[in-house]
Amino acid sequence: MNAPSSSRQQAIRSLIERFIAERLATKLEGLADDDPKRATLLAQYAPDVWLEDAARRAGQIQAVTHTLKAIHPDAKGTNLYCLPNSLPQHALVGSHCLGDDFAGDVVGNAAALDVYKLLKLEHDGQTLLDLLLAADADAIAALHTDDEQARSLAPAFTGITRARDGLASHTHGKQLYWLVGDDPRNDEHYHLLAPLYASSLAHRVYQAIQADRFGEPAKEARQARRDKQFHPGVIHEYPDLAVQKLGGTKPQNISQLNSERRGNNYLLASLPPSWQPRDVRLPIRTRDGSIFPAFGKRPAVAELVRSLRDFLLSGPPANVHTRNSRDELLTELIDELLLYAVELWAFEPGWSAKPECNLNRAEQLWLDFRRAEHDAIFASEWRRMEWLTEVRERFANWLNARLVSKLSVGDVENSYWVKKAGGNALWLDLDWLNRAWVEQFEREQRDLEAEHE
């Protein structure tokens, strides 16, 4: 707590008097000099008189961080003022994330909201309400010229943060039973919860989204994107954003912050991702008897090949960072190839046996491997695993062919692509084969390895 300071007390008092004077000036606008209302207003807005009246009216409002009014405008239960720093800390997003920097809300008689505006006046980064809650001697003394009167006013102002009339819910409030014990059949194992609307958190979310959507930095970044120009800023997108209107045409009946948002409250989409299925066709009639020409036309693949080619063309220095960057692009490319294979594995097995299928044998063995369960010759070829090396070499040949037009690539690069492709175990998915077939395959593999030892 600060030591009492007459200059600090005077600064706070001046802040309060300016606030009252501004409100008086608004009231006097348009009144003639001889209007009898003028004298009445001047008497009402004498600082000590106005503060005493404000302390009386403070009982008509309540400062909150969590409000019941947003649940239902006619609900009359408990609202809470919980300092975010006093809440349990955990990894999920909640009001506790706000820390010291949060906007308090207020509910109650809208005609008394000017009292809350008084308490939000700031001195040296602290609101008058914060100072009074901290029992700041200078802030208390600034409330009235008489010390005893000042000390009696302070509790009236700080009382707006206390819940009224004990804890209670209401017919219009929401309630739910939450299992806290082990036996869902035992009523004693439940807590009855009465959810409140996290008004301060909702306001922070609203401010952040407004800035990301309509702030000048966001506008400049989006304009740069349209112009295909570099911009150091970040563009935030909120797909499927919903707006919940609270309070209808009178948002002030819900709360002060709701009124400042004109009743708008943002709801982020909490939906599972909507997968866009790719148009995958069976590689029956393929160009050159291979899937790689069709694979290379996939947008993500084309982009990765372009990125790899441009990176190599840029002449990067021969160091570990260059090798890592190159390998990351190559790994992404191989991942795309294996994702493509997984999509083809979903087709009914045996499609490669159709007479019109011109896919080369190695790729048949890779992409239609479950055919082996019903085709003995096919199974025998699959078990020899010679197809695996051939497929990796075909991948390397395809990649070299895509790069060779602008780069000098040859056998060395080809061997490296083969080596990197060999490092991914997803080329074999034994989980898709029946267990008996897999056990036979694994037994034969062990026998083969034993012969070579």
Side-chain angles (χ1 to χ4, degrees):
M1 187 182 300
N2 295 324
S5 164
S6 58
S7 60
R8 184 168 175 269
Q9 173 188 329
Q10 186 55 46
I12 298 173
R13 178 71 180 186
S14 297
L15 186 68
I16 294 173
E17 290 180 349
R18 279 199 301 275
F19 172 80
I20 297 172
E22 289 170 0
R23 303 192 70 78
L24 172 63
T26 304
K27 293 287 184 179
L28 293 176
E29 281 181 0
L31 291 181
D33 292 342
D34 57 350
D35 193 316
K37 292 182 179 178
R38 177 177 289 272
T40 303
L41 288 172
L42 288 171
Q44 289 177 349
Y45 280 81
D48 286 348
V49 174
W50 191 91
L51 283 168
E52 288 182 19
D53 180 63
R56 178 186 59 79
R57 291 186 293 119
Q60 301 172 16
I61 58 174
Q62 182 188 356
V64 300
T65 54
H66 298 72
T67 175
L68 184 60
K69 285 286 184 181
I71 303 295
H72 194 291
D74 294 331
K76 297 178 180 177
T78 298
N79 301 285
L80 294 177
Y81 184 83
C82 302
L83 292 173
N85 277 338
S86 69
L87 297 172
Q89 300 296 309
H90 51 79
L92 302 179
V93 174
S95 298
H96 62 284
C97 300
L98 297 175
D100 292 328
D101 183 18
F102 72 99
D105 204 353
V106 62
V107 295
N109 186 357
L113 288 179
D114 58 335
V115 179
Y116 190 64
K117 291 178 181 176
L118 165 76
L119 296 174
K120 288 177 67 177
L121 294 176
E122 289 193 7
H123 176 75
D124 288 342
Q126 286 186 288
T127 67
L128 181 58
L129 178 59
D130 292 336
L131 293 172
L132 293 176
L133 286 171
D136 186 284
D138 293 332
I140 294 174
L143 293 177
H144 203 282
T145 50
D146 179 80
D147 291 344
E148 185 174 348
Q149 283 282 16
R151 285 193 292 273
S152 68
L153 291 178
F157 288 123
T158 57
I160 70 169
T161 62
R162 290 193 291 271
R164 304 290 163 77
D165 303 325
L167 299 177
S169 186
H170 189 263
T171 304
H172 294 308
K174 293 182 179 178
Q175 297 179 5
L176 60 92
Y177 285 98
W178 188 267
L179 182 66
V180 294
D182 299 326
D183 186 1
R185 297 167 299 179
N186 188 339
D187 292 346
E188 299 298 323
H189 286 203
Y190 286 90
H191 278 176
L192 180 59
L193 303 182
L196 299 178
Y197 190 77
S199 183
S200 295
L201 177 62
H203 196 67
R204 172 67 61 78
V205 171
Y206 176 84
Q207 290 175 316
I209 294 178
Q210 285 291 99
D212 291 340
R213 296 180 71 190
F214 308 113
E216 286 303 320
K219 290 179 181 177
E220 292 173 0
R222 282 195 289 271
Q223 183 62 46
R225 182 175 65 178
R226 285 192 289 271
D227 296 340
K228 298 183 178 180
Q229 298 294 320
F230 171 75
H231 190 280
V234 178
I235 297 175
H236 298 268
E237 302 285 354
Y238 299 91
D240 301 323
L241 185 69
V243 179
Q244 181 184 26
K245 297 284 287 188
L246 297 178
T249 58
K250 296 179 178 178
Q252 68 275 14
N253 286 349
I254 301 299
S255 73
Q256 172 62 23
L257 291 183
N258 188 64
S259 178
E260 293 178 14
R261 299 191 297 268
R262 298 178 297 281
N264 295 321
N265 292 263
Y266 287 130
L267 300 176
L268 300 176
S270 56
L271 301 171
S274 177
W275 299 107
Q276 299 295 325
R278 291 173 173 173
D279 185 16
V280 180
R281 298 180 180 179
L282 275 176
I284 299 291
R285 297 182 178 86
T286 58
R287 178 184 164 190
D288 301 331
S290 173
I291 61 145
F292 286 103
F295 169 69
K297 292 181 180 178
R298 292 161 72 98
V301 176
E303 178 62 31
L304 283 169
V305 172
R306 190 180 307 116
S307 299
L308 178 61
R309 182 193 61 202
D310 292 347
F311 175 72
L312 298 176
L313 275 174
S314 66
N319 56 34
V320 66
H321 300 295
T322 295
R323 290 192 291 275
N324 289 340
S325 298
R326 175 201 59 195
D327 289 350
E328 286 175 5
L329 289 169
L330 186 58
T331 299
E332 289 186 51
L333 195 55
I334 294 170
D335 287 345
E336 282 292 328
L337 178 60
L338 297 179
L339 286 174
Y340 185 37
V342 170
E343 293 171 5
L344 294 174
W345 288 346
F347 285 104
E348 189 69 21
W351 54 264
S352 63
K354 295 180 179 179
E356 63 270 29
C357 180
N358 71 340
L359 193 65
N360 71 82
R361 192 64 166 181
E363 294 180 26
Q364 285 185 18
L365 290 161
W366 173 38
L367 300 172
D368 189 23
F369 64 95
R370 284 186 294 163
R371 176 182 162 189
E373 295 178 357
H374 310 288
D375 185 331
I377 298 176
F378 194 87
S380 175
E381 292 180 53
W382 196 93
R383 289 192 198 98
R384 288 200 295 272
M385 303 302 294
E386 294 169 354
W387 58 270
L388 186 54
T389 302
E390 184 176 345
V391 169
R392 289 168 179 163
E393 289 175 348
R394 295 178 73 84
F395 164 73
N397 292 340
W398 165 81
L399 182 56
N400 255 11
R402 297 295 299 267
L403 300 175
V404 75
S405 62
K406 295 190 177 182
L407 287 165
S408 177
V409 291
D411 293 341
V412 174
E413 289 77 14
N414 190 292
S415 299
Y416 188 74
W417 309 147
V418 172
K419 177 183 176 183
K420 293 299 292 182
N424 197 315
L426 279 177
W427 293 89
L428 294 175
D429 191 344
L430 298 182
D431 290 339
W432 279 55
L433 292 170
N434 70 58
R435 179 43 50 189
W437 198 93
V438 170
E439 289 174 353
Q440 180 184 350
F441 165 71
E442 291 176 341
R443 194 163 49 247
E444 292 179 5
Q445 287 295 304
R446 287 195 296 271
D447 294 342
L448 188 62
E449 291 173 1
E451 290 178 3
H452 287 81
E453 288 178 355

